[in-house]
Amino acid sequence: MTMVLPQRIDSEPCANLIDGQVHCGHCRHLPGRHERTAHRGPLPNQDNILALRSKFMSDGTVPDGIPLPILRSWQRSGQHGLAHSLSRVRDSRLAETALKELLQRNEELIVAAWGEVVSLCRETQGFSGVVVLTDPNGVVLLRLGDSAFSDEADKLGLTVGGDWSEQSIGTNAIGTALSERFALSVIGAEHFCNLNTTISCSAVPIVDPCGILVGALDLSTSVTVGHDYSLPLLKRAASEIERRLFERRYGRCEQMHLHSNPRLLGSPHEGLLAFDSDRLVGANRAAIELIGLSWSVIGVMHFRQLFSVQHATVTRQASADECVVQSMQGSTFFARLQMPPKPLADSEAKRTLDGEAARPAVAEPAGAEALPHVVLETLQGDGGPRLSRMKAGHLIYGVNLMDETGEAIFIAASGQYRCFASHEGKELTLFMLGPGDAVPLQPEMVVEVRKEGEAAVIPRTVFRRLTRTHPEFSLCILPAVEKMLNRSLTMVGEIAFRSVRYRLIRYLCEMAEHDGRPMPDGVVIESAPHGDDLAMAIGAARQSVSTVLAELIRSGDIRKPAPRTFVIPDIDSLREELRVLR
């Protein structure tokens, strides 16, 4: 007789049953859901877990210490006809044509998730794992991370196009999180198939603004790596992905931002509601939990059924910084109303009626070409990639950004970035990037964020789509990449044919032109590189650069009043020396 375990409900009391009593040793209760925490402390004895699983599957004995979601998943895995003694990976990967169609169908999710997947790789790079994005059926759409663990992931079939649903591979974080619809970890021997007991995984489901399951975000590592940190990181990333899906879908709708704490308005914790006139058409998970709604009210409820204040009253206050609203259940929220953008111009509206999707017009700066990031911002409401905040000190590895079509494209909107290549402990600075610059990231290239700002990392697949569907983007990206190519050719030529003195003077003149501040006693360059950075920037040895720099200071061509400040008293005289050295 098959044992029927209690099924998950929205407010499940516990995930553990010990001696018939309810306990909570491996789980925690949150509003609206009950989820398994990441593994903490020493790794449980794997052989004991295997024995408990075998006894549970044979006679239905409920073991101590195994969370209820894992037990339910073991039971489902058995019902799917899977054998835990599986010795090799089933060849469940999609054929090339089917995979291409799958990626196209999930393009909105991939674009929304790309920046968060890259950030997670950076945040967990010391733990030797991979970050995985799947569709709602558990098929892998994207995998980035540590190259050493990638070999192990390939052997297990955790690769693009691989099926990690419970039906295909049994209990695992991806498939089980999708089945249970909440975040959880599966540690080592808790996997149903013995083949996967060498890894530990944590996964979080992703839902769209209507509450529909659209995928899962997963972190997989060796079983020897603790997962205490993984669920909080994954939940934060999933929340940002869901926010981006909301913004992409409802960018042209009236939106309400709300929270019971006014200081959290505008933060990742705020609730988001989208309205068509006064009908609720979308929400994020935070709003559902704050107001105490279910996803079934999307498309059904109206503003007057949610709040005690009239919709027209709030609309009149939309220009104010914030207003106060009360839900029909009596909860008070601070809210901001974001009104929809202005209607399309007649020409754009006509194109839409004729069947052609209207795109935001690109206003080019007077007398200059439009910069890539400016055009990119205009495309965000039309499904284009978003700019991400880049914190100083972070590294972006080109090798982690490759997809099946090639390298990614890096576009800088603000801040300062150093693009370099390294080999056997040696580094060569290729470019210093600033607003408007764009460069393809080859596998051996690394981008270091030198000054905080915003940038976009665009997968090659998405980049190709943008260049096909938005000619204005192509027209602005080509000059930017061409500029980087010319810089590269210039550097190669100068390293081969120019002296260190010439290269240093030219570099100082360029800094003065782009970042210098004219003063009565000359051009001041602040926050300038020095030491190794200056040597790497011109492709020379530090000792050689220090010698030439000392000569320029002695001759009075430059002054150095502070460690990272240069003053050029006569910039024209320095440029003249370049012409002589030529």
Side-chain angles (χ1 to χ4, degrees):
M1 179 177 178
T2 302
M3 178 182 178
V4 179
L5 292 168
Q7 296 302 300
R8 182 183 65 83
I9 56 176
D10 285 342
S11 184
E12 186 180 332
C14 190
N16 253 350
L17 293 174
I18 302 177
D19 297 330
Q21 300 297 315
V22 173
H23 295 267
C24 194
H26 292 278
C27 49
R28 58 181 174 179
H29 183 69
L30 295 177
R33 62 175 183 240
H34 195 79
E35 58 185 44
R36 162 76 185 275
T37 63
H39 164 64
R40 297 180 180 276
L43 187 69
N45 186 294
Q46 301 295 284
D47 291 335
N48 285 350
I49 294 177
L50 293 175
L52 291 172
R53 184 190 63 193
S54 178
K55 188 168 180 57
F56 172 75
M57 296 302 296
S58 63
D59 61 19
T61 301
V62 177
D64 296 347
I66 304 297
L68 190 56
I70 300 296
L71 297 180
R72 283 197 298 261
S73 180
W74 287 352
Q75 194 175 61
R76 288 192 298 268
S77 300
Q79 291 169 354
H80 293 315
L82 297 172
H84 53 74
S85 58
L86 184 69
S87 59
R88 64 184 180 86
V89 179
R90 290 184 179 181
D91 189 10
S92 58
R93 283 177 292 181
L94 296 175
E96 184 176 350
T97 301
L99 177 58
K100 184 177 181 180
E101 293 174 353
L102 177 74
L103 295 175
Q104 289 175 344
R105 287 198 306 272
N106 291 275
E107 187 173 10
E108 182 183 50
L109 174 63
I110 295 171
V111 172
W114 179 265
E116 291 305 315
V117 171
V118 172
S119 295
L120 278 171
C121 286
R122 184 167 59 241
E123 292 166 346
T124 60
Q125 61 186 356
F127 298 97
S128 300
V130 293
V131 179
V132 176
L133 178 73
T134 78
D135 76 349
N137 299 312
V139 180
V140 178
L141 302 172
L142 180 64
R143 190 196 78 189
L144 294 177
D146 183 78
S147 56
F149 185 76
S150 293
D151 294 337
E152 176 71 13
D154 288 340
K155 293 176 185 176
L156 297 175
L158 187 58
T159 186
V160 174
D163 183 355
W164 277 69
S165 65
E166 280 189 340
Q167 293 91 329
S168 174
I169 208 163
T171 304
N172 71 92
I174 292 170
T176 306
L178 289 170
S179 295
E180 296 282 336
R181 291 202 63 161
F182 58 77
L184 52 79
S185 297
V186 178
I187 308 299
E190 292 177 348
H191 288 85
F192 186 78
C193 294
N194 293 345
L195 187 68
N196 299 325
T197 57
T198 58
I199 62 174
S200 291
C201 312
S202 298
V204 177
I206 301 170
V207 298
D208 76 356
C210 294
I212 297 172
L213 192 64
V214 294
L217 190 63
D218 167 86
L219 175 64
S220 295
T221 69
S222 165
V223 71
T224 59
V225 177
H227 271 234
D228 302 62
Y229 59 87
S230 51
L231 284 182
L233 289 175
L234 289 166
K235 286 165 62 180
R236 175 200 56 75
S239 176
E240 283 300 309
I241 294 170
E242 291 173 356
R243 171 184 282 268
R244 289 173 186 173
L245 289 172
F246 180 94
E247 291 172 349
R248 290 165 64 86
R249 187 172 300 182
Y250 298 115
R252 294 188 173 276
C253 289
E254 179 184 298
Q255 297 179 13
M256 176 179 276
H257 303 241
L258 78 165
H259 202 280
S260 55
N261 185 343
R263 293 186 178 88
L264 294 181
L265 276 178
S267 78
H269 305 287
E270 71 176 356
L272 296 173
L273 300 173
F275 292 94
D276 181 7
S277 297
D278 70 337
R279 184 170 60 91
L280 180 66
V281 293
N284 71 343
R285 205 187 302 237
I288 293 293
E289 293 178 357
L290 281 167
I291 305 176
L293 303 175
S294 69
W295 289 108
S296 60
V297 305
I298 304 296
V300 177
M301 271 197 170
H302 291 258
F303 191 94
R304 66 181 180 275
Q305 297 170 296
L306 294 170
F307 303 106
S308 58
V309 65
Q310 292 295 315
H311 178 258
T313 305
V314 179
T315 304
R316 286 196 295 271
Q317 300 180 40
S319 59
D321 188 38
E322 64 185 40
C323 59
V324 177
V325 296
Q326 193 172 52
S327 71
M328 297 303 289
Q329 289 75 31
S331 300
T332 299
F333 299 102
F334 296 86
R336 291 178 186 150
L337 203 61
Q338 179 181 321
M339 303 306 291
K342 295 179 180 179
L344 298 173
D346 291 344
S347 59
E348 291 179 301
K350 184 178 185 302
R351 288 208 310 272
T352 302
L353 290 173
D354 290 342
E356 179 185 347
R359 297 196 298 265
V362 178
E364 298 191 4
E369 292 178 328
L371 297 176
H373 67 277
V374 175
V375 177
L376 201 60
E377 287 177 339
T378 68
L379 301 181
Q380 289 180 15
D382 194 34
R386 289 179 55 82
L387 296 170
S388 299
R389 175 61 57 179
M390 301 290 178
K391 295 182 180 179
H394 285 175
L395 298 177
I396 302 167
Y397 294 90
V399 69
N400 290 337
L401 303 175
M402 299 284 290
D403 65 15
E404 68 278 2
T405 61
E407 68 274 6
I409 309 296
F410 179 87
I411 297 177
S414 60
Q416 188 179 69
Y417 309 86
R418 179 173 77 97
C419 182
F420 65 92
S422 63
H423 179 67
E424 295 181 352
K426 298 179 181 179
E427 292 182 1
L428 173 64
T429 297
L430 304 174
F431 313 110
M432 293 301 294
L433 306 174
D437 288 335
V439 64
L441 294 180
Q442 299 291 328
E444 65 275 6
M445 291 166 61
V446 182
V447 175
E448 176 192 10
V449 183
R450 303 301 297 270
K451 183 180 179 182
E452 184 172 340
E454 287 190 328
V457 179
I458 307 176
R460 174 56 68 93
T461 304
V462 178
F463 176 76
R464 286 180 173 177
R465 176 181 62 81
L466 288 175
T467 56
R468 288 196 305 268
T469 58
H470 297 277
E472 67 273 22
F473 182 69
S474 303
L475 291 175
C476 74
I477 200 72
L478 288 176
V481 174
E482 181 185 21
K483 183 173 70 172
M484 291 296 106
L485 177 61
N486 289 336
R487 282 193 203 175
S488 177
L489 294 174
T490 300
M491 173 180 282
V492 171
E494 289 187 350
I495 290 176
F497 305 115
R498 300 294 184 186
S499 66
V500 174
R501 184 180 182 91
Y502 177 93
R503 280 137 61 188
L504 180 58
I505 292 176
R506 183 191 60 79
Y507 187 72
L508 292 172
C509 288
E510 284 186 353
M511 281 199 299
E513 180 180 347
H514 291 99
D515 304 316
R517 182 163 48 91
M519 298 290 286
D521 58 344
V523 179
V524 179
I525 305 172
E526 297 173 332
S527 300
H530 63 92
D532 289 332
D533 287 347
L534 193 54
M536 287 188 291
I538 66 171
R542 177 173 181 170
Q543 185 176 356
S544 300
V545 172
S546 297
T547 300
V548 174
L549 194 59
E551 292 173 355
L552 292 171
I553 292 174
R554 281 197 299 271
S555 65
D557 289 314
I558 67 171
R559 290 188 290 108
K560 194 176 181 184
R564 300 199 59 180
T565 301
F566 291 136
V567 177
I568 304 178
D570 189 346
I571 187 71
D572 292 332
S573 174
L574 209 57
R575 290 197 182 104
E576 182 61 30
E577 183 172 349
L578 279 181
R579 284 190 282 271
V580 173
L581 290 172
R582 189 185 299 274

